[in-house]
Amino acid sequence: MQSAAAPDPELQRRSELLWEARSVPGRGPKPSITADDVVQAAIAIADADGLGAVTMHAVALKVGVTAMALYRYFPSKDALNDALVDAGMGPPPPTSPQTPWRDDVTAWAHAKRDMLCERPWLAELPFVAAPHGPNWMAWLEAIARPLTRTGLRPADVGQMISIVDGYTRGASDTSISLARARARGISERQWGAAVGADLGRAIGDPRFPAFAAILTAPPESPGRTMAESFDFGLQRVLDGIEQYVKQVTR
Amino acid sequence: MQSAAAPDPELQRRSELLWEARSVPGRGPKPSITADDVVQAAIAIADADGLGAVTMHAVALKVGVTAMALYRYFPSKDALNDALVDAGMGPPPPTSPQTPWRDDVTAWAHAKRDMLCERPWLAELPFVAAPHGPNWMAWLEAIARPLTRTGLRPADVGQMISIVDGYTRGASDTSISLARARARGISERQWGAAVGADLGRAIGDPRFPAFAAILTAPPESPGRTMAESFDFGLQRVLDGIEQYVKQVTR
DNA sequence: GGTATTAGTATACGTCGTATACTATTGTGG
DNA sequence: CCACAATAGTATACGACGTATACTAATACC
């Protein structure tokens, strides 16, 4: 509708692999594995040893074939990565029309953060750029629903999705980084030491007084966990959205 | 202070390379290049042909040495990448104590987004995890200053930094993806077609009614550019922060 | 002026993604 | 029922990449 631009045939093919059922022609030998076997093997490897360990050889070994056999199921590693992203993120949490929109959105953001922390390698893959599969859509649908209940116009709902999703992905990065370190066997203590030593360079450096003040300031009385900090920020963001909703819907 | 955990010696070395002046021993032959030459060459290559084109061979060729010569300046490609991140992001925009905090923060967020869009390959590198250099600190300082002016306690200022920075990075992703495509010679029209074709699968799919409604809805009357959309979201986020500031500082 | 130290090179290795050519296995049309 | 076409998986090989190792050559200090 909006364009006659020729779509990249490779991207188109990769997208089809995520959406269309695989044709099952009856001619040759029986396949010994399925595309899903490949994806599950890749996920298991990524979970165990990180994204760097997901090589065609390693995946093939895990499913019991040679590396080249995988190309019968995915035309390239990029195509396999596409499937990895979609399968790795899994389905979104359920929504319910009865819940206040703000509760559902809060639950969604926490679920997305948890998902990203549980599979920290997901954020290493091209997340926005890749072809988007059914799970990706389902996550969008799961936040579109409660936000639609605000009564905002569709275009504004799209805006709000960007805000919540943007904050959620961006503000999860530190936790993801920690999760990644943990997956590599680095203790939280070691990780904190490395980050702290790095940031510590600001302390005493006359160029960074304001930031040094934050680092040297006494922590809050109870001390917030990372998840609590995330939620605190999320509520500020939702405050801003709610304010807009009230203003627009009168 | 906060830990006796042994810091990773490799990470420590990489961090030092970003912060400490290189020792200039007088013994051997004169170096024909500088570490900065290497970084600048790498940046030029990344700008021209994307991060994938930044290989040790390519960088070395550009500065006129062999690939192995680069290892006299950086112990590994990761270390070079660290320098790439810091040099690539450049200095932050100036702040001024006179400006209302909200204006400075708005300017900061737009500047960061512009920076990321201008060098879309920056976001492909480990951004939060890497050792952080002076420019990284300077960007933090540049947002810490106006947020300190709100009168919030230091711990809360840290929270607000996470919110604004999280939103800014997360919400810039789509634009970055477009910028990356553009850098590869893909027209905005083609890019829109690819993304549209992909998202279009939701339209008519009974699983995604709410999201499909957003896609099929008539766009707003004037039609927002991506920068305007970003700013719209940013203002909602800042509304939420401002509300908190008013509530806390009374 | 010899000697230790350093800059840069040459060569080589292991890993990765994948192109090409093959062998083996299956359903189908004559 | 059987030749043939289509497919699954393998074997081999290639080029690119990061980098270890061993070298050659240049420079400053004792």
Side-chain angles (χ1 to χ4, degrees):
Chain A
M1 192 77 52
Q2 68 190 351
S3 86
D8 184 338
E10 186 206 321
L11 279 183
Q12 197 178 343
R13 173 109 183 75
R14 283 167 57 183
S15 180
E16 280 164 12
L17 281 174
L18 292 175
W19 287 92
E20 277 154 36
R22 310 208 164 225
S23 51
V24 195
R27 211 72 101 130
K30 298 287 177 204
S32 64
I33 57 175
T34 68
D36 195 59
D37 290 337
V38 177
V39 175
Q40 293 308 321
I43 287 179
I45 294 171
D47 282 341
D49 303 315
L51 193 61
V54 180
T55 69
M56 299 303 262
H57 272 94
V59 175
L61 190 72
K62 187 135 203 160
V63 291
V65 294
T66 33
M68 289 314 295
L70 300 183
Y71 289 87
R72 297 278 167 194
Y73 301 86
F74 298 94
S76 69
K77 192 178 186 189
D78 280 345
L80 173 56
N81 278 344
D82 295 341
L84 256 194
V85 169
D86 203 66
M89 67 194 304
T95 59
S96 113
Q98 274 77 34
T99 321
W101 68 265
R102 193 159 165 156
D103 294 354
D104 259 1
V105 171
T106 298
W108 183 93
H110 278 278
K112 182 143 188 179
R113 193 187 95 102
D114 291 347
M115 177 268 282
L116 289 172
C117 289
E118 212 161 327
R119 298 207 198 278
W121 46 267
L122 275 172
E124 292 179 69
L125 291 162
F127 215 64
V128 236
H132 302 136
N135 279 333
W136 213 90
M137 284 292 180
W139 278 88
L140 280 178
E141 174 72 17
I143 184 151
R145 281 182 191 176
L147 283 174
T148 301
R149 268 183 265 135
T150 57
L152 290 175
R153 290 170 313 156
D156 271 346
V157 172
Q159 285 280 355
M160 300 307 157
I161 293 178
S162 302
I163 297 174
V164 176
D165 188 50
Y167 169 76
T168 301
R169 273 184 297 107
S172 300
D173 272 356
T174 313
S175 300
I176 293 174
S177 170
L178 167 60
R180 200 141 37 208
R182 188 184 296 133
R184 275 183 300 175
I186 298 167
S187 74
E188 182 150 356
R189 195 174 189 75
Q190 277 175 301
W191 182 83
V195 173
D198 205 22
L199 294 181
R201 295 191 186 272
I203 303 174
D205 192 318
R207 290 172 294 176
F208 316 119
F211 186 62
I214 296 170
L215 290 174
T216 54
E220 312 141 76
S221 14
R224 267 198 268 256
T225 67
M226 295 184 89
E228 284 164 350
S229 284
F230 173 78
D231 188 69
F232 174 82
L234 177 63
Q235 295 313 319
R236 296 316 120 236
V237 170
L238 294 183
D239 282 347
I241 291 181
E242 190 163 352
Q243 186 173 317
Y244 181 76
V245 170
K246 281 181 179 147
Q247 172 199 323
V248 165
T249 61
R250 246 161 310 133
Chain B
M1 193 80 49
Q2 67 188 348
S3 85
D8 184 337
E10 186 206 322
L11 279 183
Q12 197 179 343
R13 172 106 182 76
R14 281 166 57 183
S15 180
E16 281 165 12
L17 280 173
L18 293 174
W19 286 93
E20 278 155 36
R22 312 209 164 224
S23 51
V24 196
R27 211 71 100 132
K30 299 289 176 201
S32 65
I33 56 176
T34 68
D36 194 59
D37 290 339
V38 177
V39 174
Q40 293 307 322
I43 287 178
I45 293 171
D47 283 341
D49 302 316
L51 193 61
V54 180
T55 69
M56 298 303 260
H57 272 93
V59 174
L61 190 72
K62 189 135 200 157
V63 291
V65 294
T66 329
M68 288 315 295
L70 301 183
Y71 289 85
R72 298 278 167 193
Y73 301 86
F74 298 94
S76 68
K77 193 178 184 188
D78 281 345
L80 173 56
N81 278 344
D82 295 340
L84 256 194
V85 168
D86 203 65
M89 66 194 304
T95 59
S96 111
Q98 276 77 34
T99 321
W101 67 265
R102 193 161 166 154
D103 293 353
D104 259 0
V105 171
T106 297
W108 183 93
H110 278 278
K112 182 145 188 179
R113 194 187 95 100
D114 291 346
M115 177 265 284
L116 289 171
C117 288
E118 212 162 325
R119 298 207 199 279
W121 46 267
L122 275 173
E124 292 179 68
L125 291 163
F127 215 65
V128 236
H132 303 136
N135 279 332
W136 213 90
M137 285 293 180
W139 277 88
L140 279 179
E141 174 71 16
I143 183 149
R145 281 182 190 176
L147 283 175
T148 301
R149 267 183 266 137
T150 57
L152 290 175
R153 290 171 315 155
D156 271 346
V157 172
Q159 284 280 354
M160 300 307 156
I161 292 178
S162 301
I163 298 175
V164 176
D165 187 49
Y167 169 77
T168 300
R169 272 183 297 109
S172 301
D173 272 357
T174 313
S175 301
I176 293 172
S177 170
L178 168 59
R180 200 140 38 208
R182 188 183 297 133
R184 276 184 299 176
I186 296 167
S187 74
E188 182 149 356
R189 197 177 187 75
Q190 276 175 300
W191 181 83
V195 173
D198 204 21
L199 294 180
R201 296 192 187 270
I203 303 173
D205 191 318
R207 291 173 293 176
F208 315 119
F211 186 63
I214 295 170
L215 290 174
T216 55
E220 311 140 75
S221 13
R224 266 199 270 255
T225 67
M226 297 185 87
E228 284 163 351
S229 285
F230 173 79
D231 189 69
F232 174 81
L234 178 63
Q235 296 314 318
R236 297 315 122 235
V237 171
L238 295 183
D239 283 348
I241 291 180
E242 188 162 354
Q243 186 173 318
Y244 181 77
V245 169
K246 282 182 179 146
Q247 172 198 324
V248 166
T249 60
R250 243 162 313 134

